[in-house]
Amino acid sequence: MRLAWPVRYILDNVYRLGDRAPVSIGVAGGELTAVGAPPAAPEVPRLDLGGRVVIPGLVDAHQHLDKTHLFPTVGNESGTLDEAIAVVHAHYAACTVEEIMGRARRGLDLALAAGTTAIRSHADTGGPAALKGVEALLRLREAYRDRVRLQVVAMAKVLPDGTLALAELAEAARMGADGVGAAPWLLPRPNQTGAIDRLFEIAAQAGLPLDLHADESLDPADLTLPYIAGRARALGCGGSVLVGHCCSLAVLPDPEAARVIAAVADAGVNVVTLPAVNLFLQGRGDRQPVRRGITRVSELLAAGVNVSAASDNVRDPFYPFGDADLLRLAALTCSVAHLPGRGGMQAALTMVTDAPARAIGLGDRYGLREGAWADLVVLDLTGPAGPEHVLSSLPDRYLVLCGGVPSVAPPDLRSAAPA
């Protein structure tokens, strides 16, 4: 249930990360009107947050809400990507829009409780999935529009003849999808480049961003990333292209990987790593040492690539665990990507805040600054504090604001809301 909340108010006594003294934050009409000194507005309601730490809302740039919470009803006994794909496709034959909506609501509610204020979710199309997932998520986008900024990306199905089912993407765009995508690395290699070209064309014709699953394997031959980067550079659209996984990049020889990373950086393409799921699925056929399945996060960051970290799958056959907590995921990213020290923790926190906001097109209105949306998370952590305190303690989310209105608030704030 949404709380009654004033249109204009001030958050007092909060710490930004790295600050030695608390600040005040003015909110009006869903935006931040002042960040720093207390605004001179004695008539405006004020809320004392007790010296807690505030960060921008968490942004999940890659989820699959159409699949979430399928586990354990739909399992994956081998734990492999192939079985996960097969059992989910089989489930689509019997599922309905309402069934998808019911599970996706649970996924959204988990994410909101963890402080997420924006999510980009993929939705499978084609075959027995038809457009059920797109319809379900578009309906939830409207139902949750005051609580989370939900984007829906239509994903083209890989057909048995080695092509993509692209007709559904155009229909999904007409329905109001926020982006289009596919996993062209799953196609036979002779078909990959043509499919990627066509996906760029469809995205351009629809005026939508392109979001691709790239190279989700540990076979160096499964490498579409250089071609994607080349097309994005040639078309000058790298900023609106997001590629996920990029696992094959990790197993290339270092000199070749460096060339691919340079091409991605030159094109301005965004990358999102999905560490929890890639750790679970990749390397299952290896004997020791088992490859970890995570893309080259440190090298991509060093090259200036905008790198995010995201949930991918939550409690489904691809990953039967998870709670959509992006702070927990950022801490995991530090571990598996070997991001060093306090600087690494800052990088990981950026990978679930500012970086994904830029990657999914929210950068102009996002952040802890005047004129940005009032999408904030107040942590149950007393300042002063830095990213190292946030990621080491993983504090509870005390207050979560989307557009200035709480989606999460404790009982004491519910009874003492500014009025």
Side-chain angles (χ1 to χ4, degrees):
M1 179 183 297
R2 301 281 281 163
L3 296 179
W5 207 258
V7 173
R8 187 181 181 200
Y9 59 93
I10 296 170
L11 302 176
D12 276 329
N13 196 16
V14 289
Y15 282 84
R16 295 173 296 186
L17 290 180
D19 281 359
R20 305 306 301 174
V23 300
S24 295
I25 299 174
V27 178
E31 297 182 356
L32 304 183
T33 58
V35 180
E43 77 286 0
V44 175
R46 310 179 83 95
L47 181 63
D48 189 326
L49 289 172
R52 290 180 174 86
V53 171
V54 62
I55 62 174
L58 301 171
V59 180
D60 200 335
H62 185 125
Q63 261 222 57
H64 290 270
L65 287 169
D66 61 335
K67 302 179 178 71
T68 194
H69 286 84
L70 271 174
F71 187 86
T73 303
V74 179
N76 179 356
E77 297 308 310
S78 68
T80 62
L81 179 62
D82 287 344
E83 183 177 345
I85 292 172
V87 296
V88 168
H89 284 173
H91 174 77
Y92 282 138
C95 78
T96 64
V97 170
E98 289 70 25
E99 187 265 350
I100 295 171
M101 288 182 68
R103 289 186 290 98
R105 281 183 183 275
R106 295 168 63 192
L108 283 168
D109 291 342
L110 264 185
L112 267 61
T116 298
T117 58
I119 301 175
R120 175 178 283 185
S121 176
H122 299 259
D124 288 357
T125 69
L131 289 162
K132 290 183 280 192
V134 173
E135 180 181 344
L137 296 188
L138 289 178
R139 287 166 62 178
L140 288 176
R141 185 181 68 185
E142 174 61 21
Y144 277 74
R145 63 188 175 87
D146 293 329
R147 285 172 279 178
V148 65
R149 304 183 193 279
L150 176 60
Q151 297 182 1
V152 181
V153 172
M155 286 283 294
K157 177 181 171 56
V158 176
L159 296 173
D161 65 358
T163 63
L164 292 174
L166 297 176
E168 285 84 358
L169 295 191
E171 179 59 26
R174 286 191 289 271
M175 292 168 65
D178 302 286
V180 294
W185 73 274
L186 287 170
L187 299 175
R189 292 188 186 103
N191 298 354
Q192 291 173 351
T193 56
I196 292 168
D197 290 345
R198 185 69 185 116
L199 288 164
F200 271 96
E201 291 171 4
I202 291 170
Q205 290 165 2
L208 295 175
L210 182 61
D211 196 321
L212 298 173
H213 288 52
D215 317 336
E216 195 178 350
S217 87
L218 296 178
D219 183 347
D222 287 331
L223 193 68
T224 59
L225 185 55
Y227 191 79
I228 293 167
R231 291 304 298 154
R233 184 181 187 279
L235 296 169
C237 62
S240 64
V241 177
L242 180 59
V243 289
H245 298 289
C246 305
C247 306
S248 299
L249 181 63
V251 296
L252 295 180
D254 288 345
E256 185 178 353
R259 289 192 292 272
V260 174
I261 290 169
V264 172
D266 186 50
V269 167
N270 303 279
V271 171
V272 56
T273 183
L274 299 315
V277 177
N278 288 147
L279 282 171
F280 180 77
L281 292 174
Q282 300 298 321
R284 284 186 173 267
D286 288 359
R287 294 182 179 274
Q288 295 292 344
V290 176
R291 293 170 294 177
R292 308 172 86 196
I294 307 301
T295 196
R296 294 174 178 254
V297 172
S298 295
E299 293 97 322
L300 287 160
L301 289 170
V305 176
N306 185 43
V307 184
S308 306
S311 299
D312 198 5
N313 300 85
V314 177
R315 302 182 191 180
D316 69 18
F318 293 83
Y319 188 66
F321 314 109
D323 56 6
D325 187 339
L326 291 176
L327 292 185
R328 194 184 312 280
L329 186 82
L332 175 67
T333 303
C334 275
S335 297
V336 300
H338 288 160
L339 300 178
R342 288 180 173 86
M345 294 181 187
Q346 176 61 70
L349 190 57
T350 300
M351 290 169 67
V352 296
T353 53
D354 297 270
R358 294 196 303 273
I360 67 172
L362 304 181
D364 289 346
R365 302 299 309 279
Y366 177 86
L368 194 46
R369 54 182 174 78
E370 186 175 337
W373 287 316
D375 295 358
L376 304 175
V377 181
V378 178
L379 303 171
D380 204 3
L381 171 71
T382 303
E388 64 274 19
H389 302 99
V390 173
L391 296 190
S392 63
S393 63
L394 299 179
D396 289 341
R397 313 308 114 97
Y398 181 75
L399 175 67
V400 180
L401 302 174
C402 185
V405 182
S407 54
V408 172
D412 58 322
L413 285 191
R414 290 175 180 272
S415 62

